Amino acid sequence: GINAEYGDNFRTERSRASTATMSSPRDAAGGMTYITRDDFRMMMRGSVALTYKKGEVIVEEGQEEMEKIFLLKSGQVKVSRKGLQEFDMFGLYRVTQMRFFGLDSFLLNSPSPVSVSVESLVASVYVIDIFFLETLFRYQPGLAGRMLRYISTNLDSYLHSIEF
């Protein structure tokens, strides 16, 4: 089942991560860069790929135990909240390929504040277990910094898009 697959992927990737020598890329100013292809590959190797059909709900608003994040491999999903119109990550919107969702529940260790459903004919999603991701952060601390920058950049984009 899915738990056995997580366990197999986790053991394999934990072994790779513990011996990896990836340096933390830096931008011209010496700060952390954004998530790299190697980062994505490392996270994907420890994930489970699932396929959903149009209209299927991947995450239900209020869903407990969201101990995973999602990376959209292909297709398109929409994020919605009861009583509000559809919205973009951190605000009302659609998620496109190679974007994460479910980060808010991960960061706040809380039930999902939104629902996520498939808008395209099909969507392929990498499901990344939080235990696996936290282990990667321990073995690859640069990844944690790049992930934080990714999340901060998305939040900043959303806040700048809001008209007060």
Side-chain angles (χ1 to χ4, degrees):
I2 195 166
N3 288 336
E5 197 170 338
Y6 272 130
D8 292 343
N9 290 347
F10 172 75
R11 282 186 284 283
T12 301
E13 197 53 36
R14 180 178 58 189
S15 174
R16 284 187 186 138
S18 67
T19 59
T21 58
M22 267 186 351
S23 61
S24 297
R26 303 225 171 241
D27 63 20
M32 298 302 286
T33 64
Y34 296 99
I35 295 174
T36 67
R37 280 192 187 149
D38 286 341
D39 295 336
F40 278 117
R41 284 186 195 116
M42 197 175 340
M43 285 185 273
M44 287 183 273
R45 283 194 304 254
S47 69
V48 174
L50 300 176
T51 302
Y52 297 89
K53 295 178 184 172
K54 184 174 184 139
E56 281 190 89
V57 176
I58 300 170
V59 176
E60 185 75 41
E61 184 176 343
Q63 184 174 337
E64 298 284 339
E65 300 180 24
M66 289 293 300
E67 295 185 347
K68 55 188 156 254
I69 60 172
F70 304 86
L71 177 62
L72 185 62
K73 177 183 176 187
S74 63
Q76 188 174 39
V77 298
K78 68 179 178 182
V79 180
S80 58
R81 190 168 189 176
K82 292 176 185 165
L84 298 176
Q85 295 181 354
E86 298 163 7
F87 62 96
D88 218 21
M89 184 86 55
F90 303 117
L92 298 151
Y93 91 111
R94 287 169 176 75
V95 179
T96 55
Q97 292 179 8
M98 298 312 287
R99 296 283 303 252
F100 290 98
F101 59 95
L103 292 168
D104 41 8
S105 295
F106 164 63
L107 292 171
L108 300 173
N109 193 25
S110 64
S112 178
V114 297
S115 292
V116 180
S117 58
V118 179
E119 190 165 65
S120 54
L121 290 177
V122 293
S124 294
V125 177
Y126 291 109
V127 182
I128 306 168
D129 180 76
I130 295 306
F131 181 68
F132 170 75
L133 192 58
E134 288 173 344
T135 301
L136 280 181
F137 289 167
R138 257 185 255 123
Y139 287 103
Q140 294 290 332
L143 172 59
R146 292 188 296 278
M147 188 71 145
L148 181 59
R149 184 167 184 182
Y150 170 88
I151 294 167
S152 299
T153 300
N154 283 324
L155 180 57
D156 183 63
S157 294
Y158 170 66
L159 292 174
H160 280 91
S161 71
I162 297 174
E163 293 183 25
F164 292 99

